[in-house]
Amino acid sequence: YLDGFFNELGIKLERQSFEIPGYHKPGVNLVAHIGTNPELPVILLGSHYDTTPIAQGAEDDGSGMALMLECARYFAPLRDKVNLVFAFFDLEEAENPAVAKVRREAGLELGIFDENYIYSKLEYMDIENSLMPMFVSGEPLGESCRRAVDNSGAAGNMREYLERIAEAMSGFVKPNGFGENGLLGSFNWVESNPDVISNLAGAIIYDEVGVASDIPHSGQISDTSLFEIAELNGVDPAADIGNYIVMVSNSAASALADTVKQSAKSEGLPYAGFAPDMDYISMLKSPVRYLLFADNAPFWEKDIPTVFFTDTGHGMRGKYGHTRADTVEHMNFDFLAKLTRTTIDTIERFYGI
């Protein structure tokens, strides 16, 4: 589909493959470039095109992809006035395929899973779930996994199962395993495209941006103290109405973020803007670390001006991500259109169109 879409615009869609150690198939990022003046600074728009195995993927992250395609359609006739990269990242979702393969094979062999890959005992699920904090510790994942397994209290076949997973992750040295066990495509793209990075004025990343509602308590924000550190435009924390977009920007992106906010206001898009003055590691170890659990992470790590959009995702407002219910019926297309127009206006302001 993407090939046909960009072909109609007269734009080549490039496949950028990358190897996954221990796995037989490469990952593939899909990248298109709209711009004929290489002297102009680059703005990157990014989303991921993979989803979890059981999910339909409309919200996560078909919504981000749809926005980007509309932006590509709009700017294709203006290619002499812009310098845009459209990056569709592979393997954003949580688990490295090589680790997933070990998990499946060991789980079946040792009786942790039945033939349908469902836990054969609830206690097995409880033990594995108890290890989940290792993925958000901000420490090298190989080390935190080893420590979590040692402290798990698991015995017998369950211990052997966890040992094999720990061995599969032993070489993961990045904080939380980002770029090794999730976010593989975006981290690889940042490392593999130094020429683009050197001319990159900013990255705008989208992940789960299509769910919104004007009904009170539809925001489902469990910790309203977060709003105390946010710049709010058209957002009423007390009413908890989920009709706004969350915008997360790093300190390097202050100018780009200001432009985005001007555009959002002109398009009537409510937003909650978060701009933590923290470097990458500090963010991963902070109470708001989950604001980096997406493809904005590798750009933040390199101190590239980065703005990240989300509707708060399946953990809060939307309950459909990573499930079979993640279908177009739950999308709010008026809301998505406002964010699309906000992006277009931002780009036009940036390039002086």
Side-chain angles (χ1 to χ4, degrees):
Y1 177 83
L2 291 177
D3 269 330
F5 178 90
F6 281 102
N7 186 57
E8 287 186 8
L9 299 180
I11 304 294
K12 179 183 178 182
L13 184 69
E14 180 184 355
R15 287 164 169 76
Q16 296 184 359
S17 298
F18 57 94
E19 297 301 316
I20 305 167
Y23 195 64
H24 66 285
K25 290 173 62 177
V28 182
N29 291 325
L30 304 172
V31 183
H33 175 231
I34 295 179
T36 56
N37 184 353
E39 300 302 315
L40 291 174
V42 176
I43 292 290
L44 176 141
L45 305 185
S47 65
H48 67 91
Y49 73 89
D50 65 315
T51 191
T52 56
I54 67 168
Q56 298 298 305
E59 160 77 333
D60 187 13
D61 190 24
S63 57
M65 292 182 65
L67 180 153
M68 286 173 54
L69 293 180
E70 284 306 307
C71 290
R73 194 195 312 272
Y74 182 89
F75 284 109
L78 303 172
R79 64 192 71 186
D80 60 323
K81 296 179 171 62
V82 297
N83 196 2
L84 301 173
V85 170
F86 293 79
F88 303 91
F89 300 120
D90 195 5
L91 295 173
E92 185 267 357
E93 297 295 358
E95 194 164 41
N96 182 299
V99 176
K101 182 173 182 288
V102 170
R103 185 187 300 277
R104 287 193 305 270
E105 292 177 352
L108 285 176
E109 176 190 337
L110 297 167
I112 307 303
F113 303 137
D114 63 19
E115 65 275 9
N116 296 313
Y117 295 98
I118 297 172
Y119 288 100
S120 58
K121 295 181 181 180
L122 286 177
E123 66 182 271
Y124 292 158
M125 180 178 69
D126 292 340
I127 291 172
E128 188 156 18
N129 285 343
S130 73
L131 273 59
M132 290 303 104
M134 72 184 185
F135 292 107
V136 296
S137 67
E139 299 175 355
L141 183 56
E143 293 178 13
S144 58
C145 180
R146 177 72 269 163
R147 185 165 53 253
V149 171
D150 289 343
N151 296 333
S152 67
N157 281 5
M158 187 63 188
R159 179 61 183 235
E160 174 61 22
Y161 166 73
L162 295 179
E163 288 288 346
R164 294 191 193 181
I165 293 173
E167 176 61 27
M169 291 186 177
S170 61
F172 293 171
V173 298
K174 294 184 178 181
N176 292 355
F178 287 174
E180 298 167 324
N181 196 59
L183 311 183
L184 272 71
S186 55
F187 268 86
N188 180 272
W189 188 89
V190 169
E191 294 293 341
S192 302
N193 291 274
D195 291 343
V196 181
I197 293 295
S198 66
N199 194 31
L200 189 57
I204 307 177
I205 308 298
Y206 308 86
D207 198 349
E208 298 185 74
V209 292
V211 171
S213 173
D214 291 319
I215 299 173
H217 307 296
S218 57
Q220 300 188 34
I221 298 293
S222 57
D223 183 6
T224 56
S225 67
L226 286 172
F227 290 114
E228 296 175 7
I229 62 170
E231 177 184 336
L232 304 180
N233 175 64
V235 179
D236 181 359
D240 190 26
I241 297 173
N243 64 344
Y244 58 91
I245 196 72
V246 170
M247 181 180 72
V248 185
S249 57
N250 59 359
S251 12
S254 57
L256 178 60
D258 286 345
T259 302
V260 171
K261 292 170 188 175
Q262 293 173 28
S263 298
K265 290 174 181 176
S266 71
E267 296 297 336
L269 176 66
Y271 65 79
F274 294 88
D277 186 17
M278 287 183 273
D279 61 25
Y280 179 67
I281 297 299
S282 298
M283 269 288 286
L284 288 181
K285 295 186 176 183
S286 77
V288 292
R289 57 185 176 269
Y290 52 84
L291 297 176
L292 271 183
F293 289 6
D295 286 320
N296 58 328
F299 298 93
W300 199 301
E301 182 187 37
K302 298 294 186 183
D303 201 30
I304 295 165
T306 306
V307 174
F308 170 53
F309 283 115
T310 181
D311 58 26
T312 70
H314 58 277
M316 296 182 188
R317 181 186 309 170
K319 300 301 182 185
Y320 314 112
H322 296 187
T323 75
R324 292 184 177 88
D326 186 6
T327 59
V328 294
E329 289 79 10
H330 300 118
M331 297 297 97
N332 184 323
F333 289 104
D334 289 337
F335 177 76
L336 186 56
K338 279 187 179 181
L339 181 56
T340 304
R341 291 194 296 270
T342 294
T343 300
I344 289 172
D345 188 72
T346 296
I347 294 169
E348 289 184 327
R349 289 172 186 260
F350 180 84
Y351 287 109
I353 299 175

